[in-house]
Amino acid sequence: MKRSKLYFFLTTSLFLGGCQSKTTPTDAPETAKAIPVVTSRISQTNATRDISISGNIEGSKTVRLGFMVAGKINYIAADEGQFVRKGQLLASLDPTNYGIAKEMADVQVNQVTDEYNRLKLMRERNSLSESDFAKVNFGLQQAQAQQQLQAKNLSDTKLYAPISGVMLKKLAEVGEITGVGTPLFVISDISRVNVNAFIPENELHNIKLGQAATVLVSSLNETFTGKITEVGSAADVTSRAFTVKIELPNPKQLIRPGMIAEVKLASNQKAEMLTLPAEAVLHDLDNQSYVFVVDSARQKAFKRKVSVGQLINNQIEITSGLNANEVVVTGGQQKLSDGTLISLTN
């Protein structure tokens, strides 16, 4: 019995000793590793401040078309988004009624002409008074005018494109009955386009007609160069802003009416601004801009939210969140989190 107890005691002691020897290394704290980064000091730049505004794109010339007479549509040449040429037949109405009216006017003119010719001979023989001859003369003029009107009505059953452009809107279909002057089609010339934007009244003195403008069309991810062609003379009542029109060339006709454009105009104002290399600024899931600021004493980088302005030669303006001479991480910041230990590299 004593031998069994001694054996149990020795076995338990060896087991506990083995457990202590295995857990000791894992309990020791690990030393944090510093992440190598590249840094840059915030600099002050004396640069021209750009004016940034947003606007909508429209064609250089836009027309709304309808028939001058009423009737039933029997032909439409193009659908929305298709191009049409100047002078192309765009649509037509059933001409039957107008053709009959034209034939009746022709008959009336022939009838009155015969009577006019007969009475003219009588007048020349002094067998007809001047007043009676004047009546038939006026009747002939009236019949001829009616003939011209019916000919025009018949011609107006065909609608031709007054400009070359793209069909923006088609507001009717074949078989519909349309009235006089009802807008049915919208055509826009987009060989050149205009950007319509609003500029604050305090910036109006910085722009002028013919001034160059840089226009970014986000949907195309392309930048175009245009010029200011119009500046409004009266401010909008609610926004106190003035309208500005920028003309852009559109040789490939990729820019379409309705697209949104970001316009940048150079002002005459010089300003001191804090700038950083553009790659130093990151964005979180809420599209909030932030950078990592270096704490030299503690050799750590701390996340800080910032507000950014314009981009100048790959340097981005910092409008708030940083002070002059602070040091910011410009390389390796993707590996950092708030308070990460860092080491500086050349």
Side-chain angles (χ1 to χ4, degrees), residues 194 196 207 209-210 227-232 243-247:
N194 295 321
N196 290 327
I207 65 171
L209 290 176
K227 63 178 181 180
I228 297 176
T229 56
E230 292 183 22
V231 178
T243 57
V244 177
K245 183 174 289 186
I246 298 101
E247 185 181 77

Side-chain angles (χ1 to χ4, degrees), residues 167-321:
M167 177 86 75
L168 295 186
K169 293 290 184 182
K170 186 185 74 170
L171 305 175
E173 296 293 341
V174 173
E176 289 188 23
I177 305 297
T178 183
V180 177
T182 303
L184 303 176
F185 309 100
V186 181
I187 299 176
S188 183
D189 179 4
I190 61 171
S191 58
R192 304 185 72 83
V193 295
N194 295 321
V195 181
N196 290 327
F198 287 91
I199 188 167
E201 59 180 341
N202 60 337
E203 298 284 5
L204 187 64
H205 65 282
N206 289 317
I207 65 171
K208 59 183 179 180
L209 290 176
Q211 181 177 341
T214 301
V215 180
L216 171 64
V217 182
S218 301
S219 57
L220 300 177
N221 196 28
E222 287 191 43
T223 301
F224 304 86
T225 301
K227 63 178 181 180
I228 297 176
T229 56
E230 292 183 22
V231 178
S233 57
D236 181 75
V237 177
T238 55
S239 64
R240 306 306 305 168
F242 290 80
T243 57
V244 177
K245 183 174 289 186
I246 298 101
E247 185 181 77
L248 295 178
N250 189 24
K252 297 181 181 179
Q253 299 191 345
L254 296 177
I255 310 175
R256 293 297 184 95
M259 289 182 174
I260 304 299
E262 299 294 330
V263 182
K264 284 191 176 181
L265 302 167
S267 70
N268 297 322
Q269 295 180 339
K270 295 285 186 178
E272 288 282 345
M273 57 185 70
L274 300 179
T275 60
L276 275 177
E279 60 269 19
V281 180
L282 303 176
H283 302 276
D284 58 21
L285 296 177
D286 297 327
N287 205 31
Q288 172 66 51
S289 302
Y290 67 93
V291 297
F292 283 97
V293 181
V294 175
D295 185 335
S296 302
R298 301 164 62 185
Q299 289 295 299
K300 290 184 177 182
F302 293 92
K303 181 178 177 180
R304 188 183 300 178
K305 292 183 178 180
V306 295
S307 297
V308 298
Q310 66 189 66
L311 188 65
I312 308 171
N313 299 327
N314 202 37
Q315 295 282 316
I316 193 166
E317 178 190 6
I318 304 298
T319 58
S320 65

Side-chain angles (χ1 to χ4, degrees), residues 5 21 32 34 37 43 65 72 81 102 150 157 161 206 213 224 252 257 271 294 322-323 326-327 334:
K5 291 182 179 180
S21 63
V37 296
S43 59
L65 305 175
K72 181 179 179 181
K102 172 64 167 55
Q150 296 302 332
T157 59
N206 289 317
F224 304 86
K252 297 181 181 179
V294 175
L322 293 174
N323 298 316
E326 285 190 292
V327 178
Q334 292 83 0

